[in-house]
Amino acid sequence: MSRREVEQDQGFAQFEKFLDEWSRRDFLKRAGGAAAYMAFMAGGLEFLAACAGSTTTTSVTPKKGGHIVEGNFSDIRTLNSMLSSDTASNQLIGLMFDGLTNYKKNGDLIPALAADLPKTSPDGLTYTFKLRSGLKWSDGQPLTADDVVFTYDLAYASKYKDVASPRRGDLEKYVASVTAPDPQTVVIQTTQVFAPFLANHTQYGILPKHVLGSLAPKEINTTDFNSGPSVTNGAFKFVKWDKGQQVTLARNDNYWNGPAYLDTYVYKVVPDSVAVTNQLKTGEIDVGPVDPSQFDAIKTASNVVMTEFPVPTFTFYAYNLDPSKLGGQLFSDKAVRQALLFALNRQQIVSAVFFGHGTVANSVEPPTSWSYKDKPKVLYSFDKAKAESLLDGAGWMKGSDGIRAKNGQKLKFTMITNAGNKQRESMLTVMQQSWKDIGVDATPSLIQFPQLVSQIVSIRTFDVFLVGFNWAIDPDESPLFHSRNTAAGGFNGADFKNSEVDSILDQALVTLDKTKRKQLYGQFQDIMSDAVPSPIILFNTGIWGVSTRVQGTDFGPFNQFGQRPWNSKVWVNDGK
Amino acid sequence: MLAKYLVRRFLASIVVVLGVTAITLILMDRTRGTYVPGIDLNPALRPEDIARLRAGLGLDRPFYEWYLTWLWNVLHGDFGRSMIDGSPVLSHILDRLPNTLELTGTAILLGVLISIPLGVIGALRRGSKTDHALTVVSVAGFAVPQFWLGLLLILVFSVTFEQHGLPWLPSSGATSPVGGGDILDRIEHLVMPATVLSFFYLSLWSRFTRSSMLEVLSQDYIRTARAKGMAERRVVYLHGLRNAVIPLITLVGLELPGLVSGGLVVEVVFGWPGIGKLAFERALQYDYSTVMGIVFFATLLVVAGNLLADVLYAVLDPRIRYA
């Protein structure tokens, strides 16, 4: 090894520390997008998720022509809608492929390739979609119900089991059949009543059967189509992908919603969130997500308009409630869990760690959800005295060393999160300090993100973990809180088991009536506010910077990444 | 003699390549946890789905089996497909190689062209203000981290210059995303990353040239040359420099593998679509096959670079013999 390699290694370690919002490490974040997936997030892009506030209030007639460059720090993996599981890929796919339905920015379902929202059979098991008439692929071929059937086949039919689709889990479980009685009609038969089905599973970009239909299942995983689709049905068609740099798209004249105003759409991969800010300022990029830490650096730039809105992305910590573990012994009494939450000044965390860009959580449901209950049964404001009296009442008394103990057991534990995420590291420090103030000895410990996820879903030897998560549009929260998901591989790593919660969540999933569901999720939020197995620190906001030359964007909580029904309506006022 | 030496070196190289690739694989395999390359875990995925996805990538087998299969395929010229996007690893490498060569080649060339004159000046004016100034610059070049210098240049020559209406340089990428790609455009993008990278080479090699030159200039044959009335210019360049640069060749030779892997930090900071950035990103995503392909490739070059430096040394300096 030459001396210089050693030098570079040291430089590299500093480099990592330096870019604290270093986001390329977030392998598993990237929730949301076409599938409205939920996943644990390493931190980065998810903080930028977000709602309302149209950036355009102009009455000027849109001009045809020109280009925009959208910048982001995540590279694309695949352009195949049935293989993708990350936000960046979903975003590009959303520009080129429409699904049966789409979302408005508030999460309301709207038809896309379907002419209307589907008819649901009285038993709630069958959805019938009518496609728009005259749908065409970018190569002029007609887009028919056969293409829809083919696309869904890839992710649920047994003959396509070798297709590496991350969608298969849910689709295999819920889809009985997808058929095309005629070229304009798609019938989806489900195996059971499943309330989130339309919101979760009808946005996948439809793929061209006449291009991919002849491929063997394994060939679907590796076909050139995945890195350069020759045929599309969305607002844009594929031109080229300069690997590691940018993807270039051009207008699709056959788009059902009218040809896009823009000639060219470029998705540029930039080094990190600081680069997004820099390049918005220099005009090298026209659109990009802004990290909260960069907000002040960019708000003075006269060429950039900022949009900010709440998002269903959040940071929470969870107690290990498994009675066979240390956590179970310390935290099984809900008074302890409540006391620890009362002792936290979460507003201060939002101000100091997120520069005020976020909202202290009152409920386990996000404020962006139609099921959100603003004031559930128990509300937690910062109240140190209350925290101390709760602990006293529960029998945890301060010892001579200032640490509380009960029956010889000290209130002493370790908190884990992923190294490299400065925001989470800071939060653990605040928690350590706040809890020390009430006689609780909590020590932060930083581990790598893949190890953190392993801790949550399988190993589960932690006492307390802190991580980010993102909810889909539907208010179902079974993945984190249903006892079924305490099984290995499930996301309920906290081992939270509450039979009342289980039955409410199960009932809400098979109830199609929204009013009834809202009532059930209200009860759920009340119980959760009392039990606080996994307190949420804050819900984030999404912040987007858009160049003043770009018109027609309309970012919102559910129109950030994959789903943007306004793709073809974006235009530039300088025609360049 | 040389042939025997080469054979021995070649055999040793095989061990090095095997060792480096095996260790890389073990490190990745031991740290990946529940991660499935290319798939973000979501709660809808059942354990059997995850098992199927892993098996599809060949990760259901123990790592040594994976390694042996990989090795066998590589020996047959097949580097496999990326676990993230399913496209051939070789095409990924070949896509990025020209960009990396453009950057590192320029930096090494600049480094050599500038460092030798600087080193000579430093040696000839030892102790002068110029020499001290050059020393300060060299030490700085050696001590300043590349990422920091890179960010500083971006802040000054992209952001600040643009805001003051001055001609500014693009802050990332190898070409402009729209209408770019001509020579001028590429040069504009190349200026900052190549400067940062060459600054390091320049510091290292100019110090080296200076001390080597000082040593040579104190030799008897230089005094002889001067004594017989040879012009100073001829003494310095013909007798001095020619002998002084021989050891430098080894150093530059050792940097040749850096043509492929040396620009990692600079590539990441400037979003330069090269091999280093690819390796960095794919390592974070546990793309075994791509990382292994790049590591294999880079190791071969390190081994070949070292060998080439040794051989060149022998060719240029007949006093060197291998035993």
Side-chain angles (χ1 to χ4, degrees), chain A residues 505-535:
Chain A
L505 288 174
D506 285 341
Q507 207 187 331
L509 275 186
V510 296
T511 306
L512 294 179
D513 178 54
K514 206 167 171 175
T515 323
K516 185 83 187 35
R517 285 191 86 197
K518 187 168 179 171
Q519 194 192 332
L520 287 167
Y521 285 119
Q523 288 173 34
F524 164 69
Q525 292 171 70
D526 283 339
I527 299 172
M528 294 304 285
S529 73
D530 183 52
V532 284
S534 308

Side-chain angles (χ1 to χ4, degrees), chain B residues 66-126:
Chain B
W66 194 94
Y67 182 68
L68 292 177
T69 316
W70 175 82
L71 203 60
W72 179 256
N73 291 336
V74 165
L75 291 177
H76 292 77
D78 176 11
F79 282 80
R81 287 174 178 275
S82 158
M83 289 188 178
I84 302 297
D85 54 33
S87 40
V89 169
L90 201 59
S91 80
H92 272 301
I93 295 179
L94 295 179
D95 268 356
R96 319 267 180 134
L97 192 59
N99 294 327
T100 293
L101 291 179
E102 177 187 335
L103 172 62
T104 50
T106 309
I108 290 181
L109 194 67
L110 281 178
V112 170
L113 290 182
I114 301 174
S115 66
I116 294 179
L118 287 186
V120 172
I121 292 169
L124 292 181
R125 307 193 181 163
R126 177 148 76 138

Side-chain angles (χ1 to χ4, degrees), chain A residues 274-285:
Chain A
V274 178
V276 171
T277 312
N278 284 340
Q279 300 199 15
L280 277 169
K281 281 188 191 166
T282 60
E284 284 169 272
I285 61 174

Side-chain angles (χ1 to χ4, degrees), chain A residues 73 225 428 481:
Chain A
F73 40 77
F225 185 91
L428 284 193
F481 302 123

Side-chain angles (χ1 to χ4, degrees), chain B residues 160-209:
Chain B
T160 311
F161 269 43
E162 194 273 343
Q163 282 173 339
H164 290 81
L166 297 165
W168 53 282
L169 290 165
S171 62
S172 85
T175 54
S176 296
V178 178
D182 55 38
I183 286 277
L184 258 178
D185 182 55
R186 288 196 82 95
I187 291 177
E188 265 189 7
H189 283 80
L190 185 59
V191 174
M192 287 198 292
T195 304
V196 174
L197 198 52
S198 66
F199 194 38
F200 178 84
Y201 291 137
L202 190 152
S203 312
L204 185 62
W205 294 338
S206 67
R207 294 307 292 167
F208 198 84
T209 309

Side-chain angles (χ1 to χ4, degrees), chain B residues 17-61:
Chain B
V17 173
L18 288 179
V20 170
T21 49
I23 290 171
T24 306
L25 181 67
I26 291 171
L27 286 178
M28 275 195 294
D29 197 67
R30 294 296 104 182
T31 55
R32 92 185 132 89
T34 45
Y35 187 63
V36 184
I39 303 284
D40 290 356
L41 280 185
N42 70 74
L45 287 172
R46 300 157 297 185
E48 66 261 36
D49 296 315
I50 292 175
R52 197 189 60 248
L53 290 167
R54 282 223 180 102
L57 295 171
L59 294 179
D60 50 338
R61 294 169 295 165

Side-chain angles (χ1 to χ4, degrees), chain A residues 2-4 7-8 11-12 14-16 18-19 22 24-25 27-30 37-40 67 69 75 77-78 83 85-87 161 163-166 168-170 172-173 221-222 226 243-246 248 264 266 268-271 278-279 281-282 284 450-451 453-454 457-458 469 479 488-489 491, chain B residues 30-35 38-47 49 52-53 81 84-87 92 95-96 142 145-148 151 154-155 158-159 162-163 168-178 197 200-201 204 255 258 261-265 268-271 273 277 280-281 284-286:
Chain A
S2 72
R3 195 169 152 196
R4 123 141 230 273
E7 276 276 316
Q8 204 171 59
F12 191 68
Q14 293 165 34
F15 173 62
E16 282 203 316
F18 187 80
L19 297 173
W22 192 247
R24 235 89 106 291
R25 353 187 65 209
F27 328 111
L28 306 188
K29 61 176 194 201
R30 293 144 185 172
Y37 271 163
M38 296 155 285
F40 291 115
H67 75 274
V69 180
D75 207 346
R77 296 183 195 163
T78 177
L83 300 181
S85 62
D86 63 290
T87 309
K161 234 182 161 79
V163 174
S165 175
R168 184 164 280 272
D170 253 12
E172 211 173 68
K173 186 170 168 197
N221 297 334
T222 55
N226 300 344
K243 293 276 168 68
Q245 247 190 136
Q246 66 251 340
T248 308
T264 309
V266 178
K268 181 182 179 187
V269 183
V270 304
N278 284 340
Q279 300 199 15
K281 281 188 191 166
T282 60
E284 284 169 272
Q451 275 73 54
V453 174
S454 297
V457 304
S458 58
F469 204 70
F491 279 21
Chain B
R30 294 296 104 182
T31 55
R32 92 185 132 89
T34 45
Y35 187 63
I39 303 284
D40 290 356
L41 280 185
N42 70 74
L45 287 172
R46 300 157 297 185
D49 296 315
R52 197 189 60 248
L53 290 167
R81 287 174 178 275
I84 302 297
D85 54 33
S87 40
H92 272 301
D95 268 356
R96 319 267 180 134
F142 211 79
Q146 291 178 334
F147 76 87
W148 184 84
L151 292 175
I154 290 172
L155 205 58
S158 296
V159 183
E162 194 273 343
Q163 282 173 339
W168 53 282
L169 290 165
S171 62
S172 85
T175 54
S176 296
V178 178
L197 198 52
F200 178 84
Y201 291 137
L204 185 62
E255 288 303 333
S261 55
L264 193 148
V265 172
V268 171
V269 170
F270 287 97
K277 182 167 171 269
F280 172 66
E281 289 172 352
L284 291 180
Q285 299 184 43
Y286 290 80

